[in-house]
Amino acid sequence: MAESGEQLPEEVLALIFRYLPLWDRAAAARVCRAWAAAATCSTVWHDTNISFYCEREVMLPLYLSTCLDHIHNLRLEFEPSREPSRRMATELLTALAGRTPGLRGLCLECLGEKPLFDAGRDILDAVHAICRAARSLRHLDLRRLPFTLDDALVLQVARGCPELRSLFLNNGTLVGSVGPGSLLQLLQACPRLCTLGLHLSSLSHPALEVLVAPDRAPFSLLALRCACPEDARAPPLPNEAWAALSRRHPGLVVEVELEPAMPAERVMHVLQPAVPVAALRLCLSGDTVGPVRFAALYYAATLRLLEVRATASAKLDSALELLASRCPGLREVHCFCVVRPSVLYAFLRHCRRLRSYTLKLTREPHPWQPKLVE
């Protein structure tokens, strides 16, 4: 600790202040000139988390506007059902669009409930503005936005963000409004894009062909969400196209999330043998046993995470035991129904890399918490 009358160097203060919540940074900036200089330097603001979820952070001091130019990566939390929280989030995003051409990453997360019949136009208009201004944007994560994302937004990203590396559009909306044509234009306009999350209805055979082009940058992650009627009606993608994609990008990881909107006959159109599935989340209204057995047969070399929400049955237990015996590289398994003891024994015996699991032998109050493997 510094002696009385001494002052810590600005770079040390900046390293401390970067871990403070936004409100505490504001308080630190009012202590003295040295602290104010440290609290507003670029080191503090390069990677910034801002939450407009707490009441006291809604009333922020004006000094925040002087720091916007230093923000390169922003994670913003707000509650759309609370007007002050939402207004501050919208104002901050709008200010960023006008002040921060150097923004590299943006992650938006909504907390609480979304108001009924809320299209989120104010928030989405602000995102549009950022995508027009931030030519250096490389990472855009909209998974936690409860609003429908459409073609206009994707086309704006394609026009305004040529340096994009990752984009997540696989949010929880029940309407798939990003068409295959818009996604195709995005892939052509952003040749360095290597991480993509989207609804199945946005993906097409021509999009896979763009990804296997010889001059394409290595593609590392594709997260597919199948949760809306458009996803259920999407035409199947040929297994040969998936095989070509895997050969072109041998490090590719695919995550698949299947929700109740997917009818049983469509599930197997999604789970093609050549898809390098590393994470499989099943929450189906119909048959779950078939997809689990399919994963055991075809994803033994790639599967790292399995999550199952289904009704307990002897057939499901048998399918889980088969999967455990064939997927030694599995790291996590979470089954939100009671299983028989032999299922737990099978995963502990065969999956030596298992790190956590949710496998309950008796009914327990929810929420069920995973158990770490010692």
Side-chain angles (χ1 to χ4, degrees):
M1 180 178 295
E3 297 293 336
S4 177
E6 294 184 0
Q7 177 68 52
L8 289 174
E10 180 177 310
E11 58 269 22
V12 176
L13 287 172
L15 290 174
I16 296 172
F17 292 162
R18 70 182 299 182
Y19 294 104
L20 294 180
L22 191 58
W23 184 264
D24 293 334
R25 289 185 193 178
R30 295 194 296 269
V31 171
C32 63
R33 291 181 179 179
W35 281 36
T40 56
C41 74
S42 60
T43 302
V44 174
W45 294 92
H46 190 280
D47 300 306
T48 298
N49 296 328
I50 297 179
S51 175
F52 290 130
Y53 185 67
C54 302
E55 282 289 352
R56 68 174 188 169
E57 292 194 352
V58 169
M59 302 301 294
L60 287 172
L62 294 177
Y63 98 101
L64 174 60
S65 63
T66 66
C67 305
L68 295 182
D69 293 336
H70 301 316
I71 297 178
H72 281 201
N73 300 294
L74 173 64
R75 181 176 177 270
L76 175 61
E77 292 181 347
F78 66 98
E79 188 173 359
S81 61
R82 291 173 53 221
E83 192 278 333
S85 174
R86 182 170 182 151
R87 174 173 48 80
M88 288 297 295
T90 304
E91 291 178 357
L92 175 60
L93 292 173
T94 303
L96 274 173
R99 293 278 304 279
T100 315
L103 188 69
R104 300 292 194 275
L106 176 63
C107 174
L108 300 182
E109 182 165 351
C110 288
L111 305 175
E113 296 295 327
K114 184 194 81 167
L116 294 175
F117 310 111
D118 182 4
R121 277 312 341 155
D122 51 346
I123 297 294
L124 293 177
D125 286 346
V127 174
H128 271 264
I130 284 183
C131 293
R132 283 194 296 270
R135 298 284 298 177
S136 298
L137 192 69
R138 297 189 177 190
H139 308 286
L140 180 59
D141 189 345
L142 305 178
R143 282 176 289 185
R144 300 294 182 264
L145 278 188
F147 311 120
T148 299
L149 309 175
D150 58 14
D151 289 326
L153 176 61
V154 173
L155 293 176
Q156 181 58 68
V157 174
R159 291 191 297 268
C161 309
E163 299 298 321
L164 200 67
R165 304 295 198 275
S166 69
L167 175 65
F168 290 98
L169 303 170
N170 49 328
N171 62 352
T173 182
L174 298 179
V175 179
S177 295
V178 176
S182 300
L183 180 70
L184 187 60
Q185 292 188 47
L186 174 77
L187 294 175
Q188 293 169 339
C190 304
R192 297 178 182 84
L193 188 69
C194 60
T195 299
L196 182 61
L198 69 164
H199 280 259
L200 177 66
S201 57
S202 304
L203 195 60
S204 64
H205 189 188
L208 296 183
E209 291 178 334
V210 169
L211 291 176
V212 300
D215 58 345
R216 188 79 194 184
F219 199 71
S220 58
L221 173 64
L222 178 62
L224 292 176
R225 180 177 171 86
C226 310
C228 61
E230 291 79 6
D231 296 329
R233 295 192 294 267
L237 300 171
N239 190 60
E240 295 76 14
W242 285 111
L245 185 65
S246 297
R247 288 192 298 269
R248 175 64 181 82
H249 304 285
L252 175 64
V253 168
V254 176
E255 299 178 355
V256 178
E257 185 175 358
L258 296 169
E259 295 287 331
M262 293 296 292
E265 64 273 13
R266 302 294 298 178
V267 170
M268 302 318 295
H269 289 167
V270 179
L271 300 179
Q272 298 286 344
V275 182
V277 175
L280 180 60
R281 296 177 174 88
L282 302 173
C283 182
L284 300 169
S285 57
D287 174 47
T288 302
V289 174
V292 172
R293 288 188 173 276
F294 188 92
L297 294 175
Y298 292 103
Y299 305 146
T302 59
L303 194 64
R304 298 295 179 263
L305 180 149
L306 175 69
E307 182 178 301
V308 176
R309 298 177 184 270
T311 302
S313 70
K315 290 184 178 180
L316 179 59
D317 287 343
S318 298
L320 289 170
E321 291 172 5
L322 174 65
L323 186 138
S325 67
R326 294 182 59 88
C327 300
L330 200 69
R331 308 291 175 83
E332 297 183 46
V333 57
H334 305 287
C335 186
F336 294 93
C337 65
V338 176
V339 299
R340 62 195 182 198
S342 57
V343 173
L344 174 58
Y345 174 75
F347 280 105
L348 294 178
R349 178 186 178 186
H350 297 293
C351 304
R352 298 296 185 181
R353 298 182 180 180
L354 197 67
R355 296 182 302 197
S356 68
Y357 62 87
T358 307
L359 297 167
K360 302 295 184 180
L361 306 184
T362 58
R363 291 186 178 274
E364 297 181 10
H366 285 275
W368 289 2
Q369 299 298 326
K371 181 179 178 61
L372 298 178
V373 177
E374 298 178 355

